[in-house]
Each structure stands twice: as C-alpha cells, then as structure tokens.
Amino acid sequence: MEKIDKGPLSGIRVIDVGTMVAGPVAATLMADFGAEVIKVEQPGKGDTLRHIGPTLGEGESLWWNVEGRNKKSITLDLRQPEGQRILKELVKSADVLVENFRPGTLERWNLAWKDLEQVNPGLVMLSVSGYGQTGPYAPRAGYDRMGLALGGVLNATGYPDRAPVKVGVAIADYQTAVLAAFGTMVALYNRDVSGGKGQQIDLSLYETVFRFTDVMVTAYEKFGQTRERTGNLHFAAAPGDHFETIDGRHIVLTVSSDRMFRRLCEAIPELVGDERFATHADRIANIEEINRLVGVWIKSLPVPELCRILDDKGLAYSLIYSIEDIVADPQYLARGTIATVENPRVGPLKMPAPQPRFSGTPAPMMRPAPGLGFDTDEVLGELGLSADQIAGLRKAGTV
C-alpha cells in the first residue's frame, strides 16, 4: 500500500489542551487524517493518560501510545501568566482548540472563549465536559460512566434482577470524541465555506450518550413506555440472543423481519408452521421459547457448519470475539483494521487503524505518540522564542 505523507486535513492546526479521552481523542481523530495537533501538557506530569496502564518499559503507557499518536507534545503550565500568554500566541495561528476541563477552569486562567476569540476570531473552540457549560450540573466532575448513567444507557443495560452493567470500554468517551470531531468539522466548514466566524462548541458526555438512545424518549412521551433491562433480548430481534455454541463459545444471531425468519425456517424445519412464531409480534410474545429452540439447534452443530448454513441463508450473525480471535481473523487482516506503529522507545505497537477509509484521501502513515514535551523547543521556537528564553521558561517551571 502506498504510504501517504499528508492527509485531507493537512493545513489544519489543532491545539489540544485536554486530558484523558473524550476531548483529546477528538484531536486524535483529526490528527489521523493529517491535521497538525499540538498537545499541550502539564510540565513534569503530562496527560493523565500517560500514567494509566498497561505499561511497557519504564512506564510507557500503551493507552497513551494509541491515543497520543500523530501528535506533537509541548509542556506548558497554563496556571502561570506566562504559560497563558504563550498559549494565546499559539492560538493566533490555530484553527481549533480542544479542551475538556471542568467548566470554569479556563475562566480562572484567563483562557475562556471570550478571551481566546479576541485573540483569534476565526478560532473553533471545542469544549467537552461531563454535563455541558450551562445548567445546574455544569460544575460537576464527569467521566465516562457518569455520561452513561445520566444519558439513560446504564439503566437499560444488563439483567433486570441485578444492578446495571457497564459497557466493556469507555464508550461514552469515545462516542463523544466522534461527535466532537464531527462538530469541529461542521464549524470549520461553516467558517471556511459558508463565510461564518469562529465559534465555541459545547458538547457534554451525557447529551452524546442520550443522542444515541434511539426512540427511548419518544416512546415514553407517546406511550409512557420505559426501556428496562432485558439482558441480551431486544424488541427488534426475535429470535435474538447470544447463543452458546457446541465448543463453549457464543454467537450472536438476530432475526428482525419475517423474510429473514423464513430463511431461518429453511435451516430449522421444526419452526415451520408454528402459529406461535407466525409474525414478529408473535415471536416477541414467545421469545423465550423460540430462543430455546434456536439455541438447541445452534448447539447441535459444529461451528464451521453452523456458520456455513447461516451464510448460505444470508442471515446476520457473528461469533463473539475475544482479542485473540480478532488478531487472527482474516477479515481484520484483509482490511488492515489493525495497524502497526513503530515507536522508537518501545518498538512496534499494534493498534486500531484510522477510520473511516476514503477512496481518494486516505489517512497518512501514522506517527508514534511523542514523549512528554518532545516538541516544546520546536513549537516555541516557531513563535520566535530563543533557546535562552526557552531555557529560562524551563527553569521557571513554565515549560
């Protein structure tokens, strides 16, 4: 595959002053496609993500290496007036600033939207927080699980006879990062194509989660219908479950239409003509029985034969993959879904490749996550600071 040096976002400069996932990963998504992202980190400590395991070597965080890729790193103490002044100098040439501090923090540092838009009226400022910049909850700390809780997803996840169950990854953070990158692109389009100005984007974890709750609020408002925990069952799938296979693994099978059910009946003749399963509504009313029958059939077949039949019938299914399954899977291999980044400190690292894929403007070759402050001298030198001035800032703890 041809190695691309520049991506479609080449020429966009992003200043990332956030920490952890939701805000900074929005910047990573832009960096994956060629935006210049300057990561501003606290001197001596850096992004919190640098200190969360698992780690390699002398504390090299793998999570940081995945989400710090394609960025430059400078250190700058934004609590100091000189650090604030330098950030404003950086903002003058920036297209985007990403932050996810608790609302009110940047105001205390004289780096709020009202301060930065005076420096650069064309700036797009992405502000990510747990609960938004306004409202009674705005001052609260907010993390991934809080977004899932307030957004309505946790209450609907798990089994009814036990406490709600969290998702296995930081899904609220990552959903927010995707919507944040999308929002940034909308704001840049408005500025650069439609003749608009810079603006602040106010995005919260809980509202991002809530946006992806399909018809939950609509059904409640119209019918008083509430979304309860139903384990692996869903009102759109009958049969539908995580079925155990003959070798002790699990397979997801969902049938959401009469047409698909007729195809399943071709494979399981005992389902044909059973009035309990005549329509989707009937199948939902008898979900436990139809899932039991399908489960018996699934467990009776060798997994390769089961998959062959499901493929022949054009049914939607997937084995539930572990990471061992993922790294050995031919689909992942064929599409290059897992990329390898050469890190000079710890060697080659496998990680998710940039998404989505474009036919005409693919992502450039990925660069490794930088060491803390690796690009400080270069970036500050571009602002006109001399080596002696940078050394003085370093001695004062500003960088």
Side-chain angles (χ1 to χ4, degrees):
M1 183 180 293
E2 180 187 2
K3 293 182 178 179
I4 307 296
D5 293 326
K6 292 185 177 182
L9 297 184
S10 177
I12 298 294
R13 172 174 270 201
V14 179
I15 310 298
D16 172 11
V17 302
T19 61
M20 288 295 287
V21 181
V25 170
T28 304
L29 296 174
M30 291 182 271
D32 279 350
F33 289 95
E36 179 192 20
V37 176
I38 300 173
K39 176 81 178 173
V40 177
E41 304 185 69
Q42 181 70 16
K45 298 192 237 176
D47 192 319
T48 305
L49 208 58
R50 289 184 181 271
H51 309 290
I52 298 178
T55 60
L56 272 179
E58 310 219 347
E60 186 83 21
S61 164
L62 297 184
W63 201 356
W64 161 254
N65 271 276
V66 172
E67 303 307 354
R69 69 195 193 192
N70 295 323
K71 297 182 180 182
K72 298 178 178 179
S73 170
I74 71 169
T75 53
L76 196 59
D77 190 345
L78 300 181
R79 298 168 299 185
Q80 295 187 22
E82 186 62 10
Q84 296 161 13
R85 187 194 69 78
I86 292 173
L87 184 73
K88 288 178 179 177
E89 287 298 312
L90 282 171
V91 164
K92 287 181 181 179
S93 61
D95 296 284
V96 179
L97 183 134
V98 175
E99 64 95 4
N100 61 341
F101 292 104
R102 198 181 304 193
T105 302
L106 291 184
E107 282 78 0
R108 293 195 300 274
W109 296 344
N110 304 305
L111 296 171
W113 168 243
K114 64 180 178 60
D115 303 302
L116 298 183
E117 70 169 331
Q118 293 178 14
V119 174
N120 180 356
L123 181 71
V124 171
M125 180 171 176
L126 172 62
S127 294
V128 176
S129 60
Y131 304 97
Q133 302 297 308
T134 59
Y137 301 164
R140 288 184 184 177
Y143 300 106
D144 175 84
R145 210 178 299 192
M146 284 86 240
L148 291 169
L150 194 69
V153 166
L154 273 186
N155 185 63
T157 304
Y159 288 87
D161 61 344
R162 65 201 77 172
V165 178
K166 76 175 184 68
V167 183
V169 295
I171 194 70
D173 279 335
Y174 280 99
Q175 279 185 186
T176 301
V178 171
L179 208 54
F182 166 73
T184 300
M185 293 297 101
V186 171
L188 289 175
Y189 183 91
N190 177 70
R191 186 195 70 179
D192 297 341
V193 177
S194 302
K197 299 179 180 179
Q199 58 184 303
Q200 184 182 26
I201 301 169
D202 176 2
L203 184 63
S204 71
L205 291 175
Y206 91 89
E207 286 172 310
T208 299
V209 169
F210 181 67
R211 175 59 186 87
F212 290 97
T213 54
D214 54 74
V215 299
M216 188 183 291
V217 71
T218 315
Y220 177 73
E221 188 270 331
K222 288 298 181 187
F223 311 126
Q225 184 181 96
T226 59
R227 187 76 60 86
E228 305 296 340
R229 295 190 292 284
T230 57
N232 296 322
L233 304 182
H234 191 275
F235 60 83
D241 206 343
H242 302 169
F243 298 97
E244 187 176 0
T245 58
I246 195 171
D247 60 0
R249 289 184 288 173
H250 287 85
I251 190 169
V252 178
L253 174 67
T254 63
V255 175
S256 299
S257 71
D258 290 339
R259 180 170 59 90
M260 290 293 105
F261 183 68
R262 286 193 293 272
R263 293 185 182 181
L264 181 66
C265 288
E266 294 172 7
I268 314 177
E270 54 263 45
L271 299 179
V272 177
D274 193 322
E275 290 301 317
R276 295 173 299 173
F277 312 139
T279 67
H280 182 78
D282 293 327
R283 293 192 291 276
I284 285 291
N286 295 281
I287 187 65
E288 291 184 4
E289 179 61 12
I290 194 169
N291 276 353
R292 185 189 68 79
L293 292 171
V294 171
V296 169
W297 175 74
I298 285 175
K299 205 167 182 179
S300 71
L301 295 170
V303 172
E305 175 67 5
L306 171 65
C307 293
R308 184 193 66 76
I309 293 171
L310 294 174
D311 280 332
D312 286 348
K313 301 304 179 186
L315 293 165
Y317 77 95
S318 176
L319 289 164
I320 295 180
Y321 270 18
S322 67
I323 189 60
E324 292 90 347
D325 297 318
I326 285 172
V327 298
D329 186 79
Q331 180 72 11
Y332 276 80
L333 179 63
R335 289 177 59 82
T337 309
I338 299 173
T340 299
V341 176
E342 293 292 335
N343 184 307
R345 300 181 297 280
V346 295
L349 295 173
K350 291 188 181 298
M351 60 186 67
Q355 298 295 339
R357 39 188 95 233
F358 296 88
S359 63
T361 54
M365 185 172 65
M366 290 197 294
R367 293 174 285 107
L372 179 60
F374 182 83
D375 304 284
T376 300
D377 288 22
E378 174 194 335
V379 173
L380 297 191
E382 291 173 354
L383 294 179
L385 276 71
S386 67
D388 287 343
Q389 287 174 310
I390 295 171
L393 291 168
R394 192 165 278 121
K395 185 176 180 180
T398 305
V399 303

